[in-house]
Amino acid sequence: MKKKWNRYDICFLLLAVAILIVQFWKAHIGMGFDDEWFYTTLGHRLTKGDALFYDDWHIAQMISVFIAPFVRFYISMNHSTEGILLFFRILYAILQTLMGTMLYIRFRRYRGFAVIASILFVLMTPFNVMALAYNTMGIWFMLGSLLVFSIELKNKRNCVFEYVAGLLYACAVLNTPYLVFLFFIYTILVILWHKTKESFGLKKYWSVFAGCGTAAIVFIVFVLSRSSVAEVLAGLPHFIDPSHSTNIFYLFLVDGYKILQMYGIWMILLAIILLVVLVDKERLKRTRVYFSLSI
């Protein structure tokens, strides 16, 4: 039996469409000085034959595998790169709205709270950059992973959903490497408590691990299709994020500490929320928890 539309569905639809129209209008205004060009050029360079970890040592280069297909599509249709930034702004607005819609559909039964959470997500533009950036795509893939991971079907195996969640999580890590620490935490929790709580079951863990492994293998094969193992290994010691730090150690430890200082309690709350989603899905059935997530 199909679920009928209710006033909350209509409310979300009207707000999402209104925001999308405003974003389409906004996309034609101004210049993006906060790395907007940089993200697009990473994908463009990959279409020109760049070898990852050999032709570039910037940590952000990994996002090019997600951007390059859209660059190739645009050039094939337009036969030049003229107007490509506008194309990516509009693409961002569409994908952001699509993710917000998925969020609403997943939490639909919570009505007003689902509308609040989903619309706030649609409104969010990381660092005011309407582009397929590592922050933006990292959030998309991480949210998608959590949404898929939380799906439970009665009397059916859920390993497929957990496998897909692993795939999406691995894509999130490619965009934002910091997120790899969540998997370490998840692994530790599985080792400590998998015998006492069903949420920590090893079957779930191995399904997620298989998804992560599949994405990792595909990425490694692609990297080695353009350069040798020796060339990749020779470049790794120089692998840096020059806009934020001087080396990987500084990037993860010192810059990570600065981020924690900057956002303080909000970073701690975010970490707790993510752990609650991964660990104790029973608590997520409470409306108050969903409302907290929306805020």
Side-chain angles (χ1 to χ4, degrees), residues 24-77:
F24 280 177
W25 168 77
K26 178 185 175 185
H28 293 78
I29 299 175
M31 300 288 289
F33 294 103
D34 294 327
D35 298 335
E36 184 179 8
W37 303 332
F38 171 63
Y39 303 129
T40 307
T41 58
L42 287 174
H44 190 212
R45 287 174 54 183
L46 198 64
T47 64
K48 293 295 184 179
D50 256 21
L52 295 177
F53 309 131
Y54 178 74
D55 291 317
D56 192 356
W57 293 337
H58 198 297
I59 193 172
Q61 66 183 279
M62 293 184 291
I63 71 172
S64 61
V65 297
F66 303 105
I67 298 175
F70 294 108
V71 172
R72 191 179 297 276
F73 169 77
Y74 183 84
I75 293 176
S76 67
M77 298 297 292

Side-chain angles (χ1 to χ4, degrees), residues 3-4 18 44 128 178 207:
K3 293 182 178 180
K4 295 181 179 180
H44 190 212
N128 296 319
Y178 296 103
S207 295

Side-chain angles (χ1 to χ4, degrees), residues 51-109:
L52 295 177
F53 309 131
Y54 178 74
D55 291 317
D56 192 356
W57 293 337
H58 198 297
I59 193 172
Q61 66 183 279
M62 293 184 291
I63 71 172
S64 61
V65 297
F66 303 105
I67 298 175
F70 294 108
V71 172
R72 191 179 297 276
F73 169 77
Y74 183 84
I75 293 176
S76 67
M77 298 297 292
N78 197 55
H79 306 295
S80 75
T81 58
E82 184 177 354
I84 196 170
L85 290 184
L86 177 60
F87 166 76
F88 272 102
R89 289 181 182 183
I90 293 174
L91 180 62
Y92 161 83
I94 294 173
L95 292 177
Q96 181 76 350
T97 304
L98 178 62
M99 289 302 302
T101 302
M102 291 174 60
L103 185 66
Y104 177 76
I105 292 173
R106 184 69 183 90
F107 294 159
R108 182 173 178 259
R109 59 178 174 166

Side-chain angles (χ1 to χ4, degrees), residues 15-260:
L15 288 172
V17 170
I19 294 170
L20 188 61
I21 292 173
V22 171
Q23 287 182 327
F24 280 177
W25 168 77
K26 178 185 175 185
H28 293 78
I29 299 175
M31 300 288 289
F33 294 103
D34 294 327
D35 298 335
E36 184 179 8
W37 303 332
F38 171 63
Y39 303 129
T40 307
T41 58
L42 287 174
H44 190 212
R45 287 174 54 183
L46 198 64
T47 64
K48 293 295 184 179
D50 256 21
L52 295 177
F53 309 131
Y54 178 74
D55 291 317
D56 192 356
W57 293 337
H58 198 297
I59 193 172
Q61 66 183 279
M62 293 184 291
I63 71 172
S64 61
V65 297
F66 303 105
I67 298 175
F70 294 108
V71 172
R72 191 179 297 276
F73 169 77
Y74 183 84
I75 293 176
S76 67
M77 298 297 292
N78 197 55
H79 306 295
S80 75
T81 58
E82 184 177 354
I84 196 170
L85 290 184
L86 177 60
F87 166 76
F88 272 102
R89 289 181 182 183
I90 293 174
L91 180 62
Y92 161 83
I94 294 173
L95 292 177
Q96 181 76 350
T97 304
L98 178 62
M99 289 302 302
T101 302
M102 291 174 60
L103 185 66
Y104 177 76
I105 292 173
R106 184 69 183 90
F107 294 159
R108 182 173 178 259
R109 59 178 174 166
Y110 294 95
R111 301 183 178 183
F113 294 156
V115 174
I116 293 172
S118 305
I119 290 302
L120 285 178
F121 180 84
V122 174
L123 281 170
M124 182 182 64
T125 303
F127 297 97
N128 296 319
V129 180
M130 295 178 66
L132 269 63
Y134 49 79
N135 294 301
T136 301
M137 292 190 292
I139 292 171
W140 288 345
F141 282 117
M142 192 69 220
L143 176 62
S145 176
L146 293 173
L147 290 178
V148 173
F149 184 81
S150 66
I151 294 175
E152 290 285 354
L153 296 180
K154 294 180 180 180
N155 303 321
K156 293 184 179 180
R157 296 180 63 85
N158 295 287
C159 58
V160 173
F161 294 111
E162 291 146 11
Y163 175 81
V164 173
L167 282 173
L168 294 173
Y169 170 71
C171 292
V173 171
L174 286 177
N175 283 275
T176 311
Y178 296 103
L179 291 174
V180 73
F181 289 120
L182 284 176
F183 192 79
F184 294 151
I185 295 171
Y186 182 42
T187 301
I188 293 172
L189 292 175
V190 168
I191 293 172
L192 292 177
W193 293 314
H194 78 274
K195 293 182 180 180
T196 57
K197 290 194 177 183
E198 193 272 336
S199 295
F200 292 110
L202 284 176
K203 290 183 179 179
K204 292 176 179 288
Y205 177 83
W206 288 120
S207 295
V208 173
F209 184 83
C212 293
T214 301
I217 290 171
V218 171
F219 180 73
I220 292 172
V221 169
F222 176 77
V223 170
L224 297 181
S225 69
R226 298 195 176 193
S227 56
S228 66
V229 175
E231 289 172 334
V232 172
L233 292 177
L236 288 182
H238 309 287
F239 199 41
I240 60 171
D241 178 6
S243 60
H244 300 104
S245 63
T246 54
N247 56 62
I248 291 297
F249 177 81
Y250 190 94
L251 175 67
F252 277 88
L253 295 186
V254 180
D255 279 2
Y257 175 70
K258 287 180 180 178
I259 292 173
L260 189 61

